[in-house]
Amino acid sequence: MSVVHVEQLQKSFGSFVALKSIDLTVNKGEVFGFIGPNGAGKSVTIRTLLGIIRASSGQAHIFGKDVWTDAVDIHRRLAYVPGDVHLWPNLTGGEVIDLFGKLRGSIDRSKKEEMIERFSLDPKKKCRTYSKGNRQKVALVAAFSSNAELYILDEPTSGLDPLMEQVFQQCVQEIKDQGKSVLLSSHILSEVEKLCDRIGIIREGEIIETGTLKEMRHLTRIQMTVQADQSLTMLKNVPGIHDLANTDGQWTFQADNENLDEIIRFLAPLGVKKLESKPPALEDLFMRHYENQTRMDNSNV
Amino acid sequence: MFKNTKTLSAFMFKRDRFLIPIWVIGLVFFSLIVPPTFDEMFTTEQEREAIAETMSNPAMTALVGQGDMDNYTIGAMTAHQMLLLTAVVVGLMSILLMNRHIRTDEEAGRTEMLRALPVGRLATITAAFINVSLVNVLIALLVGFGLYTLNIESMGLEGSLLYGMVLGGTGIAFAGVATVCMQFFENSGGAIGSSIAMLFAFYILRAIGDVNYELLSSLSPLGWVMQSEVFTGNHWWPVLALIITGVCFMVLGGLLSARRDLGSGLLRATPGKTEASNYLLSPFGLAIRLQRTSIFFWALGLFILALSYGSVFGDLEAFFEGNDMLQQMLVGDHAQSIAEQFLPMILMVISILATVPPMMNVHRLYIEEKKNRVEHLLSRAVSRPQILLSYVTIATLNGLILLSLSAIGMWSAISIVMDDPLSLSTLYQATMVYYPAMLLMVGLSTVVIGLTPKLKIVLWLYLLYAFIVLYLGNLLDLPDWMGYLTPFGHVPKIPIEEISVLPLLVISGLSLLLFIIGFIGYRKRDIEG
């Protein structure tokens, strides 16, 4: 069952087209990763989903309701954390958390205190004295102490330290275990890899790829480093090898997933002393998209 | 300790290259525009004596200080009515400029980057003080020589220069006061607040002193301002005293500054509330919380203004007698008493001023939007009309309260100074007839915020237009229709005119229509940020 359903969403500001065509679905109990470079349209999409700005055309529904006309109804069951949290300088963090809780519905005291504890936030301080990370914690505490069914998180960890990032990941895991849904926008790719069931990649206002990480493996390569008794020059003739290079006897190359078996067989008799492989990262996936794009552009020229 | 002060000083000037000229030009212009107006309005000694008579009452003394009432030349008049208030503004400028370079930069983390370079620990504070002092010297010279070139008989070179120097000295004194105040608080809000509180305290101390107990005035730098007796006695010691005060405070501020950590205050910030009170927990509660300070100070300011306007009603007859120019400004025929003719004009001025805060209340919503804080509400179970309604409600209630306070303030003063005072009900009615016009301006603000917030400057110009046309219309012989272009021009002038309900109903109806348009627009548009 889909919680968020977006079809051919378009948004332009004057003559500037921010979203060309966005299609995406977030299912119940799923963590959906929404990734893309800065300015690709992540935040515009999210602000449209929240009914803060109005789509130029296309459909967007949350819980089966229209995001513009039924915004208030939807928001009772949703929690949102913006990427850049701006707060009122003369209110304390505690006051803001209570305000946010009350505006959504009600305040769950024990849950709130638990979250303040877990994110180690000092709620007595005025918001003007908070760092970016601390302001983000205020928004996260407010979100995670709510009893929402859908969490929309727009680059929520960009100001957090690694320790807090871990707490954040635990919190996401917990709400996922409760069967709730999450739309997580990010460009911290390791985080998306760890948390997300499915991923949508957005670029210049368009979703260019959606699917599970597994389904996207065809786009990714394994980074390998090998040290061997014999020279690996011949490796370049093996299919699925890219960017073969030798520095001080260390050979590095990238391998396509589907050719892995052949490559290992080729390496086996060469007296391998050291073999390191890094799993495919979403970074590569990005790179590949850009490579493809440039190649296509070049061939068009 | 002071390394690179010079470089920093130059850098600060560069950053302030637009801000400083605005302050300087504004202050100089303001200082030079008034004396010629006085010179034109009060040509004979008789007229000047009349105004001296009018100004000699405790409320005025508390407001602008003591003057040389026996020898009320144009120079004495300028020094009496203008010098203190201008000095307060110069003090305010110094405080804001100092804070901008010391605490605001510190809070934003910019000072930290500078401090990581080979820059002395006291370089920032010294550079800021030097710059602000130079700005004040510039103001002193421009005002001083400027006044002299106006070529007004009673304003000689010495007096003119002293006038400028007193202004500059006040600026330097409060730049020093600000450096000390700034050391105590952890944030720039506390720093500005405490500095302005000091300015206000010195002002009050002098007000009490001037009215009752001379010695108190001598304890306040703002008291010294008036004790310089510019254009009459021409005493120079206050200038010296002001500058010494500034430098002493600056040294003290520097000593304190060296003792505290960057980004902290000498006073530990008291922890705030862990939990929100119930009043805060709604869009309306939040909107009040965000604006309560400014609402309070506007109310206080208007009340004081109404009091001081009211206090001149005692000697009105003498004031207007024989001054054609002033009489021309009156609206009624001569069957009514001067007080009754004078009242509608004063109330018009007050009501236009009282319209500023309600308009600001509505515009505040756009400030919240620009700062990305409206989305916190909209992404929760809060509808757009609910948010806009909170701000509009505050505006309409605030307007009602401000007009009431103005009426009460005027009446309190009038009932003391007049032998045969106007009744409170007359005054209240005469003030409240402006409420529909005020609502119309609030309605226009709602439309602008609801549809195209970028146009809000137009509304302020419209209000300014209303003020100029209605206040000076009779004097400048402007045609009546120019006044009718503003809602305030249609308000019946009680007590000289009968109260006519029709225009008030039409204006109210129009306001309602504007509110509706604004709400519809706000439901449809994108929220910026």
Side-chain angles (χ1 to χ4, degrees), chain B residues 44 84 101 106 127 133 143 146 169 190-191 200 209 263 289 314 336 341 347 349 367 374 409 416 459 469 482 509 529:
Chain B
T44 67
L84 180 64
H101 286 298
E106 204 170 309
S133 300
V143 170
F200 192 67
R289 172 70 179 272
Q336 282 103 355
Q341 292 178 55
L347 289 178
V349 171
I367 296 177
V374 170
I416 294 170
L459 279 187
V469 167
M482 284 188 74

Side-chain angles (χ1 to χ4, degrees), chain A residues 215-234:
Chain A
E215 285 165 4
M216 287 192 196
R217 286 286 192 255
H218 72 278
L219 283 167
T220 61
R221 293 165 182 161
I222 302 175
Q223 174 76 39
M224 298 191 100
T225 311
V226 181
Q227 227 172 340
D229 292 337
Q230 293 170 44
S231 165
L232 299 189
T233 329
M234 291 305 288

Side-chain angles (χ1 to χ4, degrees), chain A residues 48-223:
Chain A
T48 315
L49 286 178
L50 290 169
I52 290 171
I53 56 179
R54 191 177 199 172
S56 309
S57 70
Q59 302 259 322
H61 293 275
I62 295 181
F63 307 128
K65 293 173 180 167
D66 185 272
V67 294
W68 179 261
T69 50
D70 299 322
V72 175
D73 264 358
I74 293 171
H75 296 170
R76 274 187 241 282
R77 300 159 64 188
L78 167 159
Y80 166 59
V81 176
D84 212 351
V85 184
H86 297 270
L87 299 173
W88 298 273
N90 51 350
L91 300 189
T92 65
E95 285 178 310
V96 171
I97 292 169
D98 281 356
L99 174 72
F100 285 176
K102 181 73 185 179
L103 291 179
R104 214 185 61 82
S106 58
I107 305 165
D108 183 341
R109 271 259 180 90
S110 61
K111 221 167 165 185
K112 180 187 87 177
E113 271 151 31
E114 184 205 320
M115 285 301 163
I116 288 180
E117 182 74 36
R118 283 176 73 175
F119 280 101
S120 54
L121 177 79
D122 180 358
K124 291 194 183 77
K125 279 183 145 181
K126 298 268 184 193
C127 290
R128 68 155 41 90
T129 61
Y130 282 144
S131 64
K132 177 175 160 58
N134 275 324
R135 290 200 303 270
Q136 218 149 24
K137 284 189 202 169
V138 170
L140 285 169
V141 168
F144 286 128
S145 56
S146 73
N147 198 23
E149 293 162 51
L150 169 67
Y151 293 76
I152 297 185
L153 312 172
D154 189 359
E155 300 191 2
T157 58
S158 46
L160 298 187
D161 60 45
L163 221 62
M164 285 304 131
E165 225 177 293
Q166 219 159 34
V167 176
F168 166 77
Q169 287 171 1
Q170 280 166 10
C171 287
V172 172
Q173 195 57 50
E174 282 162 28
I175 53 179
K176 189 180 159 186
D177 293 344
Q178 291 164 21
K180 296 169 171 180
S181 321
V182 179
L183 173 63
L184 173 66
S185 122
S186 181
H187 53 212
I188 302 178
L189 301 162
S190 58
E191 178 178 284
V192 176
E193 276 186 295
K194 221 174 284 176
L195 293 172
C196 298
D197 302 309
R198 283 195 316 128
I199 293 163
I201 301 177
I202 181 172
R203 191 177 167 236
E204 290 175 4
E206 266 179 303
I207 299 273
I208 48 174
E209 200 85 37
T210 354
T212 62
L213 253 183
K214 223 182 222 165
E215 285 165 4
M216 287 192 196
R217 286 286 192 255
H218 72 278
L219 283 167
T220 61
R221 293 165 182 161
I222 302 175
Q223 174 76 39

Side-chain angles (χ1 to χ4, degrees), chain A residues 11 47 75 88 92 109, chain B residues 273 275 368 375 378 526:
Chain A
K11 174 70 191 175
R47 288 164 72 82
H75 296 170
W88 298 273
T92 65
R109 271 259 180 90
Chain B
K273 288 183 179 173
E275 291 188 349
E368 287 293 302
E375 66 176 39
L378 283 180
D526 288 347

Side-chain angles (χ1 to χ4, degrees), chain A residues 12 18 83 102 145 228 231 237 242 244:
Chain A
S12 11
K102 181 73 185 179
S145 56
S231 165
N237 299 326
H242 306 269
L244 184 65

